[in-house]
Amino acid sequence: MTANRIQHVLDGVVSRETAIGSSDVTEGSFDVSRETYADTPIAAEAARAVRVLNPGRSTFPRPPRRRIITVANQKGGVGKTTTTVNLAVGLAMHGARVLVIDLDPQGNASTGLGIDHHSGVPSIYEVLIGERSLADAAVPVAAAPSLWCVPATIDLAGAEIELVSVDGREARLRWAINGFTDQLDYVFIDCPPSLGLLTVNAMVAANEVLIPIQCEYYALEGLGQLLRNIELVQAHLNQGVRISTILLTMYDGRTRLADQVAQEVRKHFGNLVLDSVVPRSVRVSEAPGYGQSVLTYDPGSRGAMTYLDAAREIAERGVNGPPRPRDAGGPRHAPGRGPE
Ligand code: ADP
Ligand code: MG
Protein backbone atom coordinates (compact mmCIF):
# COMPACT_ATOMS: atom_id res chain seq x y z
CA MET A 1 0.00 0.00 0.00
CA THR A 2 1.40 3.43 -0.83
CA ALA A 3 1.80 6.13 1.82
CA ASN A 4 -0.86 8.17 0.03
CA ARG A 5 -3.25 5.29 0.09
CA ILE A 6 -2.73 4.72 3.80
CA GLN A 7 -3.34 8.40 4.44
CA HIS A 8 -6.50 8.22 2.36
CA VAL A 9 -7.81 5.27 4.37
CA LEU A 10 -6.98 7.03 7.62
CA ASP A 11 -8.57 10.27 6.46
CA GLY A 12 -11.69 8.26 5.82
CA VAL A 13 -11.67 6.88 9.34
CA VAL A 14 -10.96 10.29 10.86
CA SER A 15 -13.60 12.12 8.88
CA ARG A 16 -16.27 9.57 9.58
CA GLU A 17 -15.51 9.47 13.28
CA THR A 18 -15.42 13.27 13.41
CA ALA A 19 -18.65 13.50 11.47
CA ILE A 20 -20.60 11.59 14.08
CA GLY A 21 -19.17 13.90 16.74
CA SER A 22 -17.90 11.18 19.01
CA SER A 23 -14.17 11.25 18.49
CA ASP A 24 -13.40 13.18 21.64
CA VAL A 25 -15.07 10.81 24.05
CA THR A 26 -13.50 8.40 26.43
CA GLU A 27 -14.61 4.88 25.68
CA GLY A 28 -13.74 2.08 28.03
CA SER A 29 -10.09 2.43 28.87
CA PHE A 30 -9.28 4.20 25.62
CA ASP A 31 -8.92 7.94 25.71
CA VAL A 32 -9.77 8.72 22.12
CA SER A 33 -8.79 12.10 20.82
CA ARG A 34 -8.67 13.40 17.25
CA GLU A 35 -4.91 13.51 17.44
CA THR A 36 -4.84 9.88 18.50
CA TYR A 37 -6.92 8.92 15.48
CA ALA A 38 -4.78 10.86 13.08
CA ASP A 39 -1.49 9.71 14.51
CA THR A 40 -1.90 6.06 15.41
CA PRO A 41 -4.07 3.77 13.37
CA ILE A 42 -3.88 1.10 16.07
CA ALA A 43 -5.61 3.39 18.56
CA ALA A 44 -8.28 4.11 15.97
CA GLU A 45 -8.80 0.40 15.43
CA ALA A 46 -8.96 -0.19 19.17
CA ALA A 47 -11.54 2.53 19.59
CA ARG A 48 -13.70 1.03 16.87
CA ALA A 49 -13.42 -2.39 18.49
CA VAL A 50 -14.57 -0.87 21.78
CA ARG A 51 -17.62 0.49 19.97
CA VAL A 52 -18.48 -2.95 18.67
CA LEU A 53 -18.03 -4.45 22.11
CA ASN A 54 -20.04 -1.73 23.88
CA PRO A 55 -23.01 -1.15 21.65
CA GLY A 56 -25.00 0.41 24.51
CA ARG A 57 -22.62 3.38 24.48
CA SER A 58 -23.67 4.63 21.09
CA THR A 59 -26.92 4.46 19.20
CA PHE A 60 -27.43 4.97 15.52
CA PRO A 61 -30.11 7.39 14.33
CA ARG A 62 -33.44 5.63 13.86
CA PRO A 63 -35.39 6.14 10.65
CA PRO A 64 -38.56 8.23 10.74
CA ARG A 65 -40.40 5.44 8.91
CA ARG A 66 -39.99 1.69 8.67
CA ARG A 67 -37.32 0.88 6.06
CA ILE A 68 -37.89 -2.33 4.16
CA ILE A 69 -34.62 -3.38 2.57
CA THR A 70 -34.39 -6.27 0.13
CA VAL A 71 -30.92 -7.77 -0.17
CA ALA A 72 -30.76 -9.10 -3.71
CA ASN A 73 -28.34 -10.36 -6.33
CA GLN A 74 -29.23 -13.39 -8.39
CA LYS A 75 -25.68 -14.64 -8.09
CA GLY A 76 -25.04 -17.07 -5.29
CA GLY A 77 -22.18 -16.61 -2.87
CA VAL A 78 -21.81 -12.83 -3.17
CA GLY A 79 -22.54 -12.11 0.48
CA LYS A 80 -26.32 -11.50 0.55
CA THR A 81 -26.95 -13.60 3.62
CA THR A 82 -23.79 -12.53 5.42
CA THR A 83 -24.69 -8.91 4.78
CA THR A 84 -28.29 -9.34 5.91
CA VAL A 85 -27.29 -11.06 9.14
CA ASN A 86 -24.49 -8.69 10.09
CA LEU A 87 -26.25 -5.46 9.21
CA ALA A 88 -29.37 -6.58 11.05
CA VAL A 89 -27.39 -7.49 14.16
CA GLY A 90 -25.31 -4.29 13.93
CA LEU A 91 -28.39 -2.07 13.72
CA ALA A 92 -30.27 -3.98 16.42
CA MET A 93 -27.26 -3.83 18.77
CA HIS A 94 -27.37 -0.08 18.39
CA GLY A 95 -30.95 0.45 19.32
CA ALA A 96 -32.97 -0.27 16.17
CA ARG A 97 -35.92 -2.65 16.06
CA VAL A 98 -35.12 -5.07 13.25
CA LEU A 99 -36.90 -7.97 11.57
CA VAL A 100 -35.03 -10.33 9.26
CA ILE A 101 -37.11 -12.29 6.77
CA ASP A 102 -35.32 -15.31 5.39
CA LEU A 103 -36.64 -15.79 1.87
CA ASP A 104 -34.15 -18.43 0.73
CA PRO A 105 -35.23 -22.09 1.05
CA GLN A 106 -31.65 -22.86 2.10
CA GLY A 107 -32.38 -21.02 5.35
CA ASN A 108 -28.86 -19.64 5.67
CA ALA A 109 -29.94 -16.40 7.31
CA SER A 110 -31.88 -18.42 9.89
CA THR A 111 -28.76 -20.51 10.56
CA GLY A 112 -26.59 -17.41 10.78
CA LEU A 113 -28.91 -15.94 13.41
CA GLY A 114 -29.03 -19.20 15.36
CA ILE A 115 -32.70 -19.89 14.55
CA ASP A 116 -34.11 -23.38 14.17
CA HIS A 117 -35.40 -23.92 10.64
CA HIS A 118 -36.05 -27.61 10.26
CA SER A 119 -39.07 -28.57 8.18
CA GLY A 120 -42.25 -28.00 10.15
CA VAL A 121 -41.29 -24.95 12.26
CA PRO A 122 -43.45 -21.88 11.60
CA SER A 123 -41.77 -20.16 8.69
CA ILE A 124 -42.09 -17.70 5.85
CA TYR A 125 -43.58 -20.45 3.70
CA GLU A 126 -46.80 -20.59 5.74
CA VAL A 127 -46.89 -16.81 5.71
CA LEU A 128 -46.69 -16.65 1.91
CA ILE A 129 -49.41 -19.21 1.37
CA GLY A 130 -51.61 -17.39 3.87
CA GLU A 131 -51.68 -19.96 6.67
CA ARG A 132 -49.93 -17.81 9.24
CA SER A 133 -49.27 -14.15 10.00
CA LEU A 134 -45.75 -12.75 9.94
CA ALA A 135 -45.99 -12.02 13.67
CA ASP A 136 -46.82 -15.69 14.31
CA ALA A 137 -43.72 -16.86 12.51
CA ALA A 138 -41.27 -14.27 13.90
CA VAL A 139 -38.95 -15.50 16.64
CA PRO A 140 -36.61 -13.46 18.84
CA VAL A 141 -32.90 -13.64 18.06
CA ALA A 142 -30.48 -13.95 20.98
CA ALA A 143 -27.90 -11.53 19.54
CA ALA A 144 -29.95 -8.43 20.40
CA PRO A 145 -33.12 -7.68 22.36
CA SER A 146 -34.84 -5.91 19.47
CA LEU A 147 -34.08 -8.39 16.70
CA TRP A 148 -36.46 -10.98 15.25
CA CYS A 149 -36.25 -13.47 12.43
CA VAL A 150 -38.85 -15.22 10.31
CA PRO A 151 -37.04 -18.41 9.33
CA ALA A 152 -37.15 -20.23 6.00
CA THR A 153 -37.47 -23.99 5.84
CA ILE A 154 -36.97 -26.28 2.91
CA ASP A 155 -40.77 -26.14 2.40
CA LEU A 156 -40.14 -22.78 0.75
CA ALA A 157 -38.50 -24.57 -2.18
CA GLY A 158 -41.95 -25.45 -3.54
CA ALA A 159 -43.36 -21.97 -3.04
CA GLU A 160 -42.17 -20.54 -6.37
CA ILE A 161 -44.40 -23.06 -8.15
CA GLU A 162 -47.25 -23.15 -5.64
CA LEU A 163 -47.61 -19.38 -5.69
CA VAL A 164 -48.01 -19.19 -9.46
CA SER A 165 -51.71 -19.97 -9.26
CA VAL A 166 -52.39 -17.96 -6.11
CA ASP A 167 -54.16 -14.58 -6.00
CA GLY A 168 -51.77 -11.64 -5.83
CA ARG A 169 -48.82 -13.93 -6.16
CA GLU A 170 -46.27 -11.11 -6.41
CA ALA A 171 -47.66 -9.21 -3.44
CA ARG A 172 -47.98 -11.93 -0.80
CA LEU A 173 -44.98 -10.78 1.19
CA ARG A 174 -46.00 -7.14 0.95
CA TRP A 175 -49.41 -7.94 2.41
CA ALA A 176 -47.82 -9.95 5.18
CA ILE A 177 -45.46 -7.11 6.12
CA ASN A 178 -48.29 -4.58 5.98
CA GLY A 179 -50.15 -6.74 8.46
CA PHE A 180 -47.24 -6.67 10.90
CA THR A 181 -48.27 -3.77 13.04
CA ASP A 182 -45.56 -3.82 15.72
CA GLN A 183 -43.23 -0.89 15.42
CA LEU A 184 -40.09 -1.73 13.43
CA ASP A 185 -37.23 0.41 12.16
CA TYR A 186 -35.87 -2.05 9.60
CA VAL A 187 -37.06 -5.12 7.77
CA PHE A 188 -34.29 -6.98 5.92
CA ILE A 189 -35.31 -9.55 3.33
CA ASP A 190 -32.63 -12.07 2.37
CA CYS A 191 -33.28 -13.24 -1.20
CA PRO A 192 -32.46 -16.55 -2.85
CA PRO A 193 -29.91 -16.55 -5.69
CA SER A 194 -32.48 -16.22 -8.48
CA LEU A 195 -34.84 -13.67 -9.96
CA GLY A 196 -37.93 -15.83 -9.53
CA LEU A 197 -41.20 -15.17 -7.76
CA LEU A 198 -39.64 -15.11 -4.29
CA THR A 199 -37.26 -12.31 -5.26
CA VAL A 200 -40.09 -10.48 -7.04
CA ASN A 201 -42.13 -10.72 -3.82
CA ALA A 202 -39.19 -9.22 -1.94
CA MET A 203 -38.93 -6.31 -4.38
CA VAL A 204 -42.65 -5.64 -4.36
CA ALA A 205 -42.57 -5.57 -0.55
CA ALA A 206 -39.54 -3.29 -0.25
CA ASN A 207 -38.83 0.39 -0.53
CA GLU A 208 -35.10 -0.18 -0.89
CA VAL A 209 -32.88 -2.71 -2.61
CA LEU A 210 -29.39 -3.36 -1.30
CA ILE A 211 -27.11 -5.13 -3.76
CA PRO A 212 -23.99 -6.79 -2.40
CA ILE A 213 -21.28 -7.04 -5.04
CA GLN A 214 -18.36 -9.35 -4.62
CA CYS A 215 -15.00 -7.82 -5.53
CA GLU A 216 -14.21 -10.61 -8.00
CA TYR A 217 -14.04 -11.16 -11.71
CA TYR A 218 -17.54 -11.66 -13.20
CA ALA A 219 -18.95 -9.59 -10.34
CA LEU A 220 -20.66 -7.21 -12.73
CA GLU A 221 -21.88 -9.84 -15.09
CA GLY A 222 -25.58 -10.44 -14.69
CA LEU A 223 -26.01 -7.16 -12.87
CA GLY A 224 -27.75 -5.69 -15.92
CA GLN A 225 -30.42 -8.34 -15.65
CA LEU A 226 -30.95 -7.56 -11.98
CA LEU A 227 -31.27 -3.84 -12.72
CA ARG A 228 -33.77 -4.50 -15.52
CA ASN A 229 -35.84 -6.65 -13.18
CA ILE A 230 -35.89 -3.89 -10.60
CA GLU A 231 -37.05 -1.47 -13.32
CA LEU A 232 -39.81 -3.87 -14.33
CA VAL A 233 -40.98 -4.11 -10.74
CA GLN A 234 -40.89 -0.32 -10.50
CA ALA A 235 -42.89 0.06 -13.69
CA HIS A 236 -45.56 -2.53 -13.00
CA LEU A 237 -45.71 -3.60 -9.38
CA ASN A 238 -44.08 -1.20 -6.93
CA GLN A 239 -43.23 2.37 -7.89
CA GLY A 240 -41.84 2.99 -4.45
CA VAL A 241 -38.83 0.70 -4.70
CA ARG A 242 -35.34 1.99 -5.53
CA ILE A 243 -31.79 0.81 -5.31
CA SER A 244 -30.55 2.60 -2.22
CA THR A 245 -27.32 0.82 -1.38
CA ILE A 246 -24.47 -1.07 -2.98
CA LEU A 247 -22.06 -2.87 -0.67
CA LEU A 248 -18.72 -4.19 -1.88
CA THR A 249 -17.96 -7.52 -0.25
CA MET A 250 -15.11 -10.02 0.04
CA TYR A 251 -12.52 -7.40 -0.81
CA ASP A 252 -9.03 -8.86 -0.94
CA GLY A 253 -6.55 -6.00 -0.79
CA ARG A 254 -3.74 -8.17 -2.12
CA THR A 255 -5.27 -8.33 -5.57
CA ARG A 256 -5.38 -5.50 -8.07
CA LEU A 257 -8.52 -7.06 -9.44
CA ALA A 258 -10.43 -6.28 -6.24
CA ASP A 259 -9.49 -2.62 -6.57
CA GLN A 260 -10.46 -2.56 -10.21
CA VAL A 261 -13.85 -4.06 -9.50
CA ALA A 262 -14.40 -1.60 -6.65
CA GLN A 263 -13.50 1.34 -8.88
CA GLU A 264 -15.71 0.10 -11.66
CA VAL A 265 -18.65 -0.28 -9.31
CA ARG A 266 -18.10 3.20 -7.85
CA LYS A 267 -17.89 4.68 -11.35
CA HIS A 268 -21.18 3.09 -12.26
CA PHE A 269 -23.17 3.52 -9.05
CA GLY A 270 -21.53 6.63 -7.52
CA ASN A 271 -22.83 7.50 -4.11
CA LEU A 272 -25.06 4.48 -3.83
CA VAL A 273 -21.90 2.56 -2.94
CA LEU A 274 -21.15 2.57 0.77
CA ASP A 275 -17.72 3.84 1.79
CA SER A 276 -17.29 0.73 3.92
CA VAL A 277 -15.91 -2.20 1.98
CA VAL A 278 -16.20 -5.64 3.59
CA PRO A 279 -12.84 -7.43 3.59
CA ARG A 280 -12.51 -11.11 2.84
CA SER A 281 -12.13 -12.52 6.32
CA VAL A 282 -12.01 -15.98 7.80
CA ARG A 283 -13.85 -14.74 10.89
CA VAL A 284 -16.81 -13.63 8.77
CA SER A 285 -17.10 -17.07 7.20
CA GLU A 286 -16.66 -18.92 10.51
CA ALA A 287 -19.38 -17.08 12.40
CA PRO A 288 -22.45 -18.81 10.85
CA GLY A 289 -21.05 -22.17 11.95
CA TYR A 290 -21.70 -20.97 15.50
CA GLY A 291 -25.13 -19.56 14.70
CA GLN A 292 -23.74 -16.08 15.13
CA SER A 293 -22.99 -12.87 13.31
CA VAL A 294 -19.34 -11.86 13.16
CA LEU A 295 -20.24 -8.95 15.42
CA THR A 296 -20.93 -11.31 18.28
CA TYR A 297 -18.52 -14.07 17.25
CA ASP A 298 -15.43 -11.86 17.00
CA PRO A 299 -16.32 -8.24 17.72
CA GLY A 300 -12.79 -6.93 17.33
CA SER A 301 -12.21 -8.45 13.90
CA ARG A 302 -11.99 -6.31 10.80
CA GLY A 303 -15.06 -7.98 9.37
CA ALA A 304 -17.11 -7.06 12.44
CA MET A 305 -15.90 -3.50 12.46
CA THR A 306 -16.56 -3.03 8.77
CA TYR A 307 -20.07 -4.42 8.99
CA LEU A 308 -20.72 -2.13 11.92
CA ASP A 309 -19.42 0.83 9.91
CA ALA A 310 -21.68 -0.20 7.04
CA ALA A 311 -24.66 -0.42 9.41
CA ARG A 312 -23.91 3.06 10.70
CA GLU A 313 -23.65 4.42 7.16
CA ILE A 314 -27.01 2.92 6.29
CA ALA A 315 -28.59 4.37 9.43
CA GLU A 316 -27.12 7.82 8.80
CA ARG A 317 -28.01 7.85 5.10
CA GLY A 318 -31.56 6.91 5.94
CA VAL A 319 -31.96 9.86 8.22
CA ASN A 320 -29.87 12.47 6.39
CA GLY A 321 -30.94 11.60 2.86
CA PRO A 322 -28.57 10.79 0.01
CA PRO A 323 -24.87 11.35 0.69
CA ARG A 324 -23.10 14.43 -0.65
CA PRO A 325 -21.48 13.92 -4.04
CA ARG A 326 -17.84 13.06 -3.71
CA ASP A 327 -15.24 11.94 -6.16
CA ALA A 328 -14.63 8.25 -6.49
CA GLY A 329 -11.90 7.37 -4.03
CA GLY A 330 -10.33 4.11 -3.04
CA PRO A 331 -12.09 1.77 -0.66
CA ARG A 332 -12.31 2.73 2.98
CA HIS A 333 -12.05 0.06 5.54
CA ALA A 334 -9.84 -1.12 8.30
CA PRO A 335 -6.19 -0.66 7.34
CA GLY A 336 -4.19 -3.84 6.85
CA ARG A 337 -5.71 -5.18 3.72
CA GLY A 338 -4.81 -8.82 3.47
CA PRO A 339 -7.32 -11.50 4.42
CA GLU A 340 -7.27 -12.59 8.06
P1 ADP B 1 -25.10 -15.42 -0.68
O1 ADP B 1 -26.14 -15.27 0.38
O2 ADP B 1 -25.06 -14.28 -1.64
O3 ADP B 1 -25.21 -16.74 -1.39
P2 ADP B 1 -23.27 -15.75 1.52
O4 ADP B 1 -23.48 -14.57 2.39
O5 ADP B 1 -23.93 -17.02 1.95
O6 ADP B 1 -23.67 -15.40 0.03
O7 ADP B 1 -21.72 -15.95 1.35
C1 ADP B 1 -21.19 -17.02 0.59
C2 ADP B 1 -20.04 -17.68 1.34
O8 ADP B 1 -18.99 -16.75 1.49
C3 ADP B 1 -20.41 -18.14 2.73
O9 ADP B 1 -19.74 -19.32 3.02
C4 ADP B 1 -19.93 -17.01 3.62
O10 ADP B 1 -19.61 -17.45 4.92
C5 ADP B 1 -18.71 -16.54 2.87
N1 ADP B 1 -18.46 -15.12 3.06
C6 ADP B 1 -19.33 -14.10 2.96
N2 ADP B 1 -18.74 -12.91 3.18
C7 ADP B 1 -17.45 -13.18 3.44
C8 ADP B 1 -16.30 -12.37 3.76
N3 ADP B 1 -16.39 -11.07 3.85
N4 ADP B 1 -15.12 -13.02 3.95
C9 ADP B 1 -15.03 -14.36 3.84
N5 ADP B 1 -16.06 -15.17 3.57
C10 ADP B 1 -17.26 -14.59 3.36
MG1 MG C 1 -27.78 -16.55 0.82
Side-chain angles (χ1 to χ4, degrees), residues 9-92:
V9 171
L10 290 178
D11 286 345
V13 172
V14 172
S15 65
R16 268 178 300 152
E17 299 298 349
T18 308
I20 61 163
S22 58
S23 54
D24 283 326
V25 295
T26 301
E27 297 193 35
S29 57
F30 294 95
D31 188 8
V32 183
S33 70
R34 263 167 224 183
E35 288 70 30
T36 314
Y37 270 98
D39 293 339
T40 61
I42 293 168
E45 288 307 291
R48 293 167 77 214
V50 168
R51 281 213 182 85
V52 180
L53 289 160
N54 293 288
R57 285 170 177 266
S58 67
T59 52
F60 296 162
R62 287 170 67 177
R65 277 181 303 282
R66 181 163 75 174
R67 293 175 68 183
I68 304 173
I69 304 177
T70 280
V71 181
N73 188 330
Q74 79 273 28
K75 282 191 162 193
V78 299
K80 288 183 292 296
T81 300
T82 307
T83 296
T84 302
V85 165
N86 289 297
L87 290 180
V89 170
L91 289 163

Side-chain angles (χ1 to χ4, degrees), residues 80-81 104 108 190-191:
K80 288 183 292 296
T81 300
D104 185 347
N108 293 341
D190 185 29
C191 288

Side-chain angles (χ1 to χ4, degrees), residues 98-182:
V98 185
L99 175 69
V100 172
I101 298 177
D102 190 347
L103 205 59
D104 185 347
Q106 311 260 0
N108 293 341
S110 314
T111 305
L113 290 167
I115 301 299
D116 180 15
H117 63 100
H118 69 261
S119 180
V121 305
S123 72
I124 194 65
Y125 170 72
E126 287 84 34
V127 175
L128 290 175
I129 61 168
E131 278 183 3
R132 216 176 256 284
S133 73
L134 203 59
D136 275 350
V139 287
V141 177
S146 57
L147 178 61
W148 295 267
C149 171
V150 178
T153 65
I154 196 65
D155 300 330
L156 188 60
E160 297 256 12
I161 294 167
E162 281 174 57
L163 285 179
V164 169
S165 55
V166 166
D167 249 6
R169 60 188 175 188
E170 298 99 350
R172 311 292 297 189
L173 185 60
R174 183 190 191 125
W175 295 345
I177 293 175
N178 285 345
F180 190 94
T181 49
D182 288 9

Side-chain angles (χ1 to χ4, degrees), residues 193-236:
S194 73
L195 292 172
L197 200 44
L198 289 174
T199 298
V200 170
N201 259 270
M203 286 175 183
V204 171
N207 34 50
E208 299 179 40
V209 179
L210 183 161
I211 306 177
I213 296 181
Q214 193 183 357
C215 296
E216 294 285 352
Y217 202 62
Y218 297 137
L220 304 177
E221 237 166 58
L223 217 52
Q225 202 186 346
L226 174 62
L227 303 185
R228 274 192 299 280
N229 272 44
I230 295 171
E231 278 168 18
L232 281 174
V233 170
Q234 275 167 339
H236 301 289

